[in-house]
Amino acid sequence: MTELTCIICPRGCHLTVDENLNVTGNSCPRGEAYAKAELTHPTRTLTSTIKVISSNATRVPCKTSEPLDKDKIFKAMKEINEVVVKAPIRIGDVLIKGVAGSNVNIIATKDID
Amino acid sequence: MINKDLVIIGGGSGGMSAALEAYALGVKDILILEKNDYLGGILNQCIHNGFGLQEFKEELTGPEFMSRFSKAVKEKGIEYRLKSNVYDISKDKVVSYSNEVEGFVKVKAKAIILTTGCYERNAGAIQIPGDRPSGVYTAGQAQLYLNCYGYLVGKRVFILGSGDIGLIMARRMTLEGAKVLGVAELMPYSAGLNRNIVQCLKDFDIPLYLSHTVKQVIGKDGHIEKVVIAKVDEKFNFIEGTDMVFDVDALLLSVGLVPNVDLISKLGLHFSRTRGAIVNQDMETEVEGIFSAGNALHVHDLVDYVVSEAREAAKGAVKYLNGELKNEGHVYDVEASNGIGYVVPQKIYVDEAEDNLIFKFRVRKPYKMINLVIKEGDEVIRKIPKLAIIPSEMEIVKIAKDKFKKSSNKITISVEEK
Ligand SMILES: Cc1cc2nc3c(=O)[nH]c(=O)nc-3n(C[C@H](O)[C@H](O)[C@H](O)COP(=O)(O)OP(=O)(O)OC[C@H]3O[C@@H](n4cnc5c(N)ncnc54)[C@H](O)[C@@H]3O)c2cc1C
Ligand code: SF4
């Protein structure tokens, strides 16, 4: 039995999920889908910054190109903090390919000249 | 003195979207004045995602969101000045600013839009008992240092207040290797979005102490060393025997935002319950031709709403420049009644309004299973059932203006409990 708060809408239903992935407490189907995904394959978009060599900035903000497995987040952070990149950088540029052994890239979220 | 049709003060997302809208509506003689050395305002430091779902139908980070606007401003050749701090405005619409290159400059504007954003409430504003050591920051300051300069303000952190910026910083500092010991919230409910409680606190097992606040800050050699947290009763008095002591090297405050009204105060205007200016349906303040939008008018939780409000203000400014906004005809005072914290706008000149009247408001506390009731005088115009409603999410209600009968001069919005 696992308890979750649904985050899809402000109502914030308290969901209970049993061993067979039966969801109760949801007021709509979106809550059920959320609970199932959360319990079987939780992912998160990770955002951070990377050290940049530029005369205009010291950090370039970045994000995962798509949601990353939740249990890879800290490994990804470690890699992000080991990299140094050089300007110019454009939004969407790949800064780290296949972070934390996944298929997900770390991409820039700001132009840095 | 320089002359301009429209001067926009503050080049954040609000200011830029107002400029782009006015430009699209045919006003090209625009000047944006921004005190920082970049456009985009606060979104430059909001590197997390979740922006733009309404505006672009995709989830963007703050820098990505604001870049779309700053690129458009540059492409259109809309004039802007950076590092230009506006220090005065007058009722006859003379804007005074200064920068390193031009020195002190006065611009005579035909219309002005104030999009100067908001301030974070700080330690002075909330009276924390105890020492006044270093190591106490607002969550936004800590966010700026970390996200723009890569500097972590502490390794053992406690956060006071459950506002979204504090929650987001709890996650961000944890990811960067700090230990976030907990978040204390004075109220029995969180001030932040559910999604942030789950993804910023629960994901990292950071405890949220509701009905708790800081009882004392203890410093050593001028730097923060401990915070004492205790539980409060319904009257916000500390409950004996509930003290918890945390060893910390930083305390973050996420205790609310207040509109930046420095310039509005210079005009001697009244303030509304939002603590921003009083405005009409076109976001025009009590001074004709001076408009306000975004966080400078009332604090928004979503930048998408800042953008749409700034566009309304820009439309209003264009109407004013075209001589179509005279504040004449039937007028309503709009009041926040039972259960409602504030409403924007506070005045509606219905004859000059667009086809739909837009009301933006917040409830005072969380409610479940209620009706939102909009009345003209004593007559109910619209009743909206709500399963759940919370203060941290602003409500927006649109009603066709011909639903109003001009039988009274008062519109009220209230919560009706079932
Ligand atoms: C710390 C913080 C974090 C936030 N996080 C989120 C979030 O995660 N998601 C979200 O949707 N919203 C968030 N918000 C809300 C956010 O404020 C809005 O989304 C939006 O960006 C505000 O736009 P704005 O144009 O009203 O203000 P701002 O972006 O603050 O822009 C105001 C601009 O005016 C300039 N200015 C002020 N005074 C003067 C002057 N006298 N002369 C010249 N220029 C001046 C400032 O330098 C600034 O650039 C956050 C707000 C804050 C304060
Ligand atoms: S289950 Fe449905 S109604 Fe309940 S919070 Fe989730 S999305 Fe909202």
Side-chain angles (χ1 to χ4, degrees):
Chain A
M1 215 61 126
T2 314
E3 303 210 1
L4 294 174
T5 310
C6 182
I7 60 164
I8 307 295
C9 92
R11 191 158 177 202
C13 295
H14 292 283
L15 313 176
T16 311
V17 193
D18 72 10
E19 296 72 37
N20 303 320
L21 284 183
N22 291 315
V23 182
T24 48
N26 55 314
S27 308
C28 82
R30 291 183 298 165
E32 185 177 348
Y34 166 75
K36 286 192 169 155
E38 235 351 70
L39 282 166
T40 52
H41 187 211
T43 58
R44 297 285 185 268
T45 296
L46 174 65
T47 62
S48 189
T49 66
I50 286 181
K51 203 172 195 170
V52 64
I53 301 172
S54 151
S55 50
N56 298 315
T58 53
R59 313 292 301 188
V60 54
C62 61
K63 69 175 182 185
T64 49
S65 52
E66 54 201 280
L68 180 71
D69 291 356
K70 202 177 145 190
D71 56 12
K72 296 212 166 99
I73 296 278
F74 277 97
K75 182 138 192 283
M77 278 304 293
K78 200 163 168 280
E79 291 177 19
I80 285 171
N81 283 334
E82 281 164 0
V83 175
V84 181
V85 294
K86 259 200 199 131
I89 290 166
R90 290 288 158 264
I91 291 178
D93 284 0
V94 175
L95 304 179
I96 302 176
K97 224 173 143 46
V99 76
S102 71
N103 297 325
V104 175
N105 297 331
I106 300 291
I107 58 176
T109 56
K110 195 176 178 183
D111 291 348
I112 307 279
D113 290 317
Chain B
M1 193 152 33
I2 315 165
N3 290 295
K4 284 278 161 200
D5 283 351
L6 176 60
V7 172
I8 294 173
I9 307 174
S13 7
M16 291 192 293
S17 37
L20 288 163
E21 180 75 11
Y23 188 91
L25 294 171
V27 175
K28 313 277 167 172
D29 187 27
I30 302 173
L31 176 62
I32 305 175
L33 295 169
E34 167 55 53
K35 72 169 167 4
N36 286 326
D37 61 356
Y38 47 82
L39 291 172
I42 203 80
L43 287 191
N44 282 283
Q45 68 184 65
C46 299
I47 62 158
H48 54 280
N49 77 328
F51 300 85
L53 279 172
Q54 315 257 343
E55 181 66 25
F56 299 114
K57 306 282 177 272
E58 58 181 308
E59 258 194 300
L60 300 173
T61 65
E64 290 172 304
F65 185 93
M66 70 84 193
S67 296
R68 297 199 176 183
F69 291 92
S70 59
K71 276 180 187 157
V73 165
K74 289 171 194 169
E75 267 164 32
K76 301 258 178 329
I78 294 174
E79 200 180 340
Y80 62 90
R81 294 258 198 296
L82 302 177
K83 293 198 211 167
S84 299
N85 181 48
V86 175
Y87 59 89
D88 195 28
I89 58 175
S90 64
K91 285 192 173 165
D92 54 2
K93 297 189 266 298
V94 174
V95 177
S96 310
Y97 72 92
S98 66
N99 63 31
E100 288 166 5
V101 183
E102 298 169 283
F104 294 87
V105 184
K106 285 190 189 300
V107 188
K108 172 89 176 127
K110 288 185 190 151
I112 298 173
I113 304 179
L114 288 158
T115 44
T116 48
C118 62
Y119 286 127
E120 287 179 279
R121 293 176 71 203
N122 58 23
I126 56 164
Q127 311 277 318
I128 300 177
D131 300 342
R132 287 255 172 271
S134 62
V136 181
Y137 305 87
T138 65
Q141 280 169 341
Q143 188 179 47
L144 175 72
Y145 293 146
L146 183 54
N147 293 347
C148 298
Y149 306 106
Y151 171 71
L152 194 59
V153 298
K155 285 271 178 195
R156 291 182 60 82
V157 186
F158 198 89
I159 299 178
L160 176 61
S162 62
D164 286 308
I165 310 165
L167 301 179
I168 279 161
M169 281 312 287
R171 170 175 64 190
R172 182 80 187 102
M173 293 183 84
T174 305
L175 287 172
E176 291 292 353
K179 175 82 190 150
V180 178
L181 300 158
V183 176
E185 168 59 55
L186 179 68
M187 305 304 282
Y189 50 85
S190 163
L193 303 176
N194 237 322
R195 167 186 161 120
N196 288 334
I197 302 279
V198 172
Q199 299 201 340
C200 299
L201 300 186
K202 287 197 181 145
D203 269 10
F204 302 101
D205 297 319
I206 299 168
L208 172 62
Y209 301 103
L210 296 175
S211 299
H212 278 74
T213 190
V214 172
K215 194 172 176 182
Q216 206 187 348
V217 170
I218 301 167
K220 191 184 168 195
D221 304 329
H223 195 82
I224 190 166
E225 196 188 33
K226 290 180 195 323
V227 286
V228 185
I229 309 295
K231 192 167 180 162
V232 294
D233 61 20
E234 301 86 68
K235 297 203 174 88
F236 304 118
N237 295 315
F238 287 111
I239 302 174
E240 291 265 344
T242 59
D243 291 13
M244 287 180 283
V245 183
F246 294 91
D247 291 327
V248 297
D249 60 3
L251 172 67
L252 262 50
L253 306 174
S254 179
V255 289
L257 303 169
V258 227
N260 171 358
V261 289
D262 296 356
L263 292 170
I264 291 176
S265 336
K266 302 218 170 181
L267 294 171
L269 301 186
H270 300 98
F271 293 111
S272 78
R273 280 159 76 166
T274 68
R275 307 182 66 183
I278 291 173
V279 291
N280 69 14
Q281 72 288 342
D282 285 288
M283 307 298 131
E284 186 183 32
T285 67
E286 292 168 303
V287 183
E288 62 169 51
I290 301 186
F291 299 76
S292 179
N295 283 355
L297 181 59
H298 59 127
V299 173
H300 293 66
D301 22 64
L302 286 178
V303 64
D304 305 71
Y305 296 148
V306 169
V307 168
S308 57
E309 183 171 279
R311 288 185 181 135
E312 287 169 45
K315 268 190 207 139
V318 174
K319 259 160 94 176
Y320 173 78
L321 289 170
N322 293 339
E324 292 157 12
L325 193 63
K326 301 207 179 73
N327 293 337
E328 287 170 0
H330 193 84
V331 59
Y332 291 110
D333 282 310
V334 188
E335 279 177 23
S337 190
N338 180 45
I340 305 292
Y342 72 76
V343 191
V344 172
Q346 294 83 15
K347 267 200 190 306
I348 293 178
Y349 291 90
V350 70
D351 301 318
E352 296 181 357
E354 308 277 309
D355 294 346
N356 286 310
L357 303 184
I358 302 173
F359 301 93
K360 287 171 262 185
F361 54 94
R362 287 176 196 272
V363 287
R364 281 186 186 282
K365 60 178 180 101
Y367 289 99
K368 286 209 154 121
M369 306 289 279
I370 54 139
N371 288 320
L372 290 173
V373 185
I374 293 118
K375 284 187 189 167
E376 170 173 5
D378 294 327
E379 192 187 338
V380 175
I381 302 292
R382 173 86 63 86
K383 225 180 227 205
I384 305 161
K386 283 274 166 190
L387 294 174
I389 188 164
I390 52 177
S392 52
E393 295 191 10
M394 186 174 76
E395 286 296 314
I396 302 185
V397 173
K398 267 189 203 181
I399 303 179
K401 77 173 183 183
D402 53 23
K403 295 270 184 293
F404 293 88
K405 317 266 161 45
K406 302 190 198 175
S407 57
S408 145
N409 290 99
K410 195 155 124 184
I411 294 174
T412 53
I413 302 187
S414 59
V415 168
E416 177 186 78
E417 294 185 72
K418 289 182 191 166

